[in-house]
Amino acid sequence: MERKYWQDTVIYQIYLRSFNDSNGDGIGDLQGVIEKLDYLQSLGAETLWLSPHYDSPMDDNGYDIRNHWKVSPDYGTIDDFKELLDKAHKRGMYVITDLVLNHTSDEHPWFEAAKDPNHPDHEKYHDYYIWHKGKIDEHGNKTIPTRWRSWFGGSVWTYNEPTDEYYLHIFSKKMPDLNWRNTSMQEDLKAMIKWWVDLGVDGFRIDAANHLEKNWDFPDGHPGYENFSSLPKHHEYLEMLGKEIFTPNNLMTIGESGGASKEEALQYAGFDSNEFDMLIQFEHCWVDTDDSNELTPGKWAKGEVDVPAIKHSFSKWNEILRGEGWNVIYWHNHDQPRIVSHYGDDSLQYWERSAKMLAYALYMLPGTPIVYYGEEIGMTNVDYENLDDFKDVEVFTEYRNFMELGASHETAMQALRDRSRDNARSPMQWDGSSYAGFSTVEPWIKVNKNHETLNVKNQMNDETSILNTYKTLLALREKEALAHGDLTFHDLDDDSNFVYETTGKHHDFLIVANFKKGEATFDKTLLEGYTLFMSNQDSVEASSNTLEAYEARIYRKTK
Ligand code: NOJ
């Protein structure tokens, strides 16, 4: 398999709304990204993945698209977008955008026509979405067609009086699902995708890719996820896009799909596949839930980090794709808590050490890495005190659910501070000024109070900072072509250590890390032939196989 440019790239994910506000309206924007190109390049980021930049009522911060052909005025204009492409390309950087194909906003003209029987285009667009008449309950009342649960909590069905039907939305009720069985809808979306390709985007991150097909028999069930997740036919749609658009245009494509078997992973991202180049799956993202928690259940229940589960997942995905497809490595994105608060320790004592440990553990692995904005300075979960400090649509449905389950306000608030998606959406902490250097006015979402000390400016000139650790690791990836390393994990079942060997161009590497607050040990014989290369501690006994809390080291030997 010949090497592709995207195998050696470093992707940096920018949540546009929260990255940098250039025009003083409290919202991040495209010119804000342009202002930070030097910063991004000096970090070692080569590919920028922008969260949705399209016109949107922002029910889900842009994943609810109102106009596919227009840049959201919150973020700028099409000229700003072209300028970003142009400036990035001149630096040899790539820009990939989010492609949201599963749903639109309910304010999209297609849905406006679909829901209104008197609209002149009703007939054409009604079938672009998914409708159901509903059921009659034992009291003779109209009720939802099935008890399927949306990903944001609550029913997937909302009643539309003018047509006397329910429409399906697996996310918020302002995000009606598109009907991928409608070929006219497919053609419209393809024309839109081609338009952005012609404009010069280098690729896409394909949102919610495994949800495009639904079970059209609509059997009842709760939560019923199997009726709208990973149904075989969605591959047909993705393959069509791949064959007609992605592959012929040499685009970089990363599909989002929660979970996949080996066969399916290869279907998505095998070298012979036309669907994607790479796959984002979430297997390692929530391996710290407390299943006994009934007040804030599911992902909202914070428990002990299951370190073996992380290792097994990384090792498994490496094996699944080894030689047959390409892997993505990442800690988290805009849908999970901040990694240092999640799998590290954001207390004053261990914040810096554990953030570096997490970086050592991830960024020596083979595959294409995705760094999430702010991760490179160890940004932490939010410290919000009030419910209305939170902005995510999901928070409000889930808060109601917690209350119904009997949780107290404080228990619910703690679950939100631990787990909500807003943790990863607070403004980028550029400096210690009132609004963290993100904006000159109060931002759309509160800055974290710790920005006074935890910020880019403070870390820039400190050689040992988390930021400089990221720079060093990303530069090392390039120099040693670590994306192509041959990986072996050790001690997969050990509760605290994280130990692996990988091969680089000039050296072989041994990475040893401790994910816990207590001591960890590892097999001493692994050290044979290796010398210490990097460590997240000031003083280290290189020959010791005992690791202090959150300690991490990189050893190497010349080939
Ligand atoms: C996955 C995205 O990452 C998430 O932020 C969004 O809410 C859903 N897809 C719906 O588009």
Side-chain angles (χ1 to χ4, degrees):
M1 161 77 195
E2 109 208 48
R3 287 193 181 181
K4 304 281 193 178
Y5 70 99
W6 40 261
Q7 294 182 336
D8 293 287
T9 199
V10 171
I11 302 174
Y12 185 94
Q13 186 192 346
I14 295 180
Y15 200 67
L16 261 183
R17 228 175 162 64
S18 306
F19 188 63
N20 186 33
D21 171 19
S22 73
N23 63 348
D25 63 357
I27 301 174
D29 48 46
L30 293 166
Q31 284 295 337
V33 177
I34 294 173
E35 279 177 11
K36 297 295 182 186
L37 286 175
D38 276 346
Y39 168 81
L40 292 163
Q41 216 172 8
S42 74
L43 175 66
E46 184 192 46
T47 298
L48 309 181
W49 153 20
L50 304 181
S51 58
H53 60 286
Y54 315 90
D55 179 53
S56 162
M58 300 292 168
D59 186 53
D60 188 21
N61 291 347
Y63 283 96
D64 49 322
I65 299 175
R66 179 166 49 200
N67 185 344
H68 288 103
W69 309 78
K70 188 177 165 199
V71 170
S72 162
D74 284 352
Y75 302 143
T77 62
I78 193 71
D79 286 333
D80 296 321
F81 188 85
K82 287 189 198 157
E83 189 181 328
L84 172 60
L85 285 183
D86 187 47
K87 293 201 161 141
H89 289 163
K90 286 210 170 100
R91 292 165 180 256
M93 297 171 84
Y94 305 105
V95 179
I96 66 175
T97 61
D98 236 294
L99 194 57
V100 188
L101 303 175
N102 180 69
H103 44 267
T104 65
S105 161
D106 65 341
E107 297 180 30
H108 194 289
W110 297 346
F111 193 73
E112 299 273 353
K115 70 176 187 193
D116 175 4
N118 297 320
H119 193 287
D121 295 325
H122 175 72
E123 217 168 298
K124 173 172 179 194
Y125 290 114
H126 181 261
D127 194 41
Y128 274 34
Y129 296 89
I130 300 170
W131 302 92
H132 202 292
K133 274 292 178 200
K135 283 186 187 157
I136 304 295
D137 69 14
E138 69 262 33
H139 309 294
N141 298 321
K142 198 183 305 293
T143 184
I144 44 173
T146 67
R147 291 168 303 140
W148 300 355
R149 186 180 197 268
S150 107
W151 294 113
F152 292 169
S155 173
V156 300
W157 298 105
T158 290
Y159 185 61
N160 178 54
E161 197 164 1
T163 56
D164 185 23
E165 288 167 306
Y166 291 82
Y167 64 88
L168 182 93
H169 52 84
I170 68 169
F171 296 98
S172 95
K173 65 171 189 267
K174 283 189 65 64
M175 298 156 80
D177 279 54
L178 287 164
N179 169 11
W180 269 84
R181 294 194 173 189
N182 182 305
T183 50
S184 165
M185 191 286 295
Q186 291 178 2
E187 292 310 311
D188 281 351
L189 279 184
K190 284 192 258 180
M192 176 278 291
I193 302 170
K194 285 189 189 132
W195 188 80
W196 288 101
V197 173
D198 289 344
L199 205 77
V201 304
D202 300 294
F204 300 108
R205 175 268 191 186
I206 295 101
D207 184 69
N210 64 323
H211 298 300
L212 301 188
E213 177 65 359
K214 315 293 186 290
N215 183 346
W216 284 79
D217 293 334
F218 301 108
D220 197 14
H222 189 76
Y225 298 145
E226 69 283 4
N227 296 302
F228 47 86
S229 308
S230 303
L231 290 158
K233 202 172 165 64
H234 79 280
H235 286 290
E236 287 175 28
Y237 308 137
L238 298 175
E239 190 170 34
M240 167 179 70
L241 297 176
K243 284 191 168 151
E244 291 180 30
I245 308 175
F246 303 157
T247 305
N249 288 290
N250 194 24
L251 300 178
M252 178 187 323
T253 53
I254 314 174
E256 183 201 32
S257 167
S261 61
K262 173 166 170 118
E263 290 70 46
E264 210 176 13
L266 292 175
Q267 228 174 326
Y268 283 125
F271 290 140
D272 302 331
S273 147
N274 273 299
E275 299 185 14
F276 310 132
D277 299 319
M278 298 171 264
L279 182 69
I280 294 181
Q281 49 76 31
F282 325 123
E283 197 179 63
H284 65 279
C285 290
W286 295 101
V287 295
D288 64 339
T289 51
D290 172 3
D291 296 336
S292 67
N293 183 333
E294 289 173 358
L295 296 176
T296 62
K299 79 163 188 183
W300 300 94
K302 185 173 163 66
E304 271 288 294
V305 183
D306 182 348
V307 181
I310 304 176
K311 292 187 274 190
H312 277 285
S313 173
F314 284 172
S315 171
K316 173 184 128 183
W317 281 93
N318 182 66
E319 289 307 320
I320 284 183
L321 295 167
R322 190 193 283 267
E324 294 180 77
W326 197 250
N327 204 14
V328 159
I329 54 165
Y330 77 104
W331 271 132
H332 71 119
N333 57 34
H334 60 289
D335 293 333
Q336 293 103 27
R338 286 277 171 192
I339 196 62
V340 68
S341 305
H342 196 183
Y343 291 169
D345 184 332
D346 60 12
S347 68
L348 262 188
Q349 188 178 5
Y350 292 124
W351 159 72
E352 185 169 351
R353 197 194 291 180
S354 67
K356 289 180 192 167
M357 181 281 287
L358 289 162
Y360 283 29
L362 187 77
Y363 291 105
M364 298 296 287
L365 290 169
T368 296
I370 308 179
V371 182
Y372 186 62
Y373 90 90
E375 178 195 326
E376 74 276 22
I377 53 168
M379 274 176 65
T380 65
N381 276 357
V382 297
D383 49 5
Y384 301 158
E385 278 149 27
N386 303 312
L387 185 57
D388 59 12
D389 292 336
F390 289 89
K391 301 293 171 213
D392 185 11
V393 53
E394 177 193 55
V395 159
F396 302 100
T397 34
E398 294 289 8
Y399 179 84
R400 272 198 303 278
N401 291 340
F402 303 154
M403 292 293 123
E404 274 165 27
L405 291 171
S408 67
H409 172 71
E410 197 30 57
T411 301
M413 287 297 292
Q414 193 52 48
L416 300 182
R417 280 192 293 266
D418 286 339
R419 316 297 266 184
S420 98
R421 306 193 302 177
D422 282 336
N423 283 305
R425 299 174 180 188
S426 64
M428 178 68 175
Q429 296 172 196
W430 296 104
D431 63 35
S433 64
S434 316
Y435 302 121
F438 163 77
S439 178
T440 49
V441 301
E442 178 148 12
W444 71 276
I445 190 168
K446 269 193 172 170
V447 293
N448 196 317
K449 286 195 211 83
N450 64 17
H451 75 275
E452 287 168 9
T453 50
L454 195 174
N455 59 58
V456 171
K457 198 170 167 200
N458 274 354
Q459 294 191 29
M460 200 66 120
N461 300 318
D462 170 3
E463 232 177 83
T464 66
S465 64
I466 302 169
L467 179 60
N468 280 314
T469 302
Y470 269 74
K471 284 189 189 175
T472 306
L473 290 171
L474 297 178
L476 184 66
R477 286 190 75 78
E478 191 182 356
K479 196 163 150 214
E480 294 277 357
L482 290 178
H484 305 272
D486 194 6
L487 171 70
T488 314
F489 262 99
H490 296 285
D491 268 358
L492 278 170
D493 293 321
D494 185 279
D495 266 355
S496 14
N497 79 22
F498 195 95
V499 179
Y500 63 91
E501 287 176 279
T502 190
T503 57
K505 214 166 160 181
H506 312 292
H507 298 90
D508 291 338
F509 294 93
L510 167 71
I511 293 83
V512 298
N514 177 5
F515 265 65
K516 292 277 168 75
K517 220 188 255 178
E519 276 189 356
T521 55
F522 61 92
D523 177 2
K524 198 164 187 169
T525 62
L526 288 172
L527 291 172
E528 273 163 38
Y530 279 110
T531 49
L532 183 68
F533 175 58
M534 273 174 80
S535 153
N536 67 348
Q537 293 282 68
D538 289 342
S539 70
V540 185
E541 210 193 305
S543 62
S544 161
N545 66 331
T546 304
L547 299 165
E548 286 178 18
Y550 303 112
E551 181 175 356
R553 307 177 200 153
I554 299 174
Y555 294 85
R556 70 175 186 188
K557 63 175 152 207
T558 310
K559 280 182 165 290

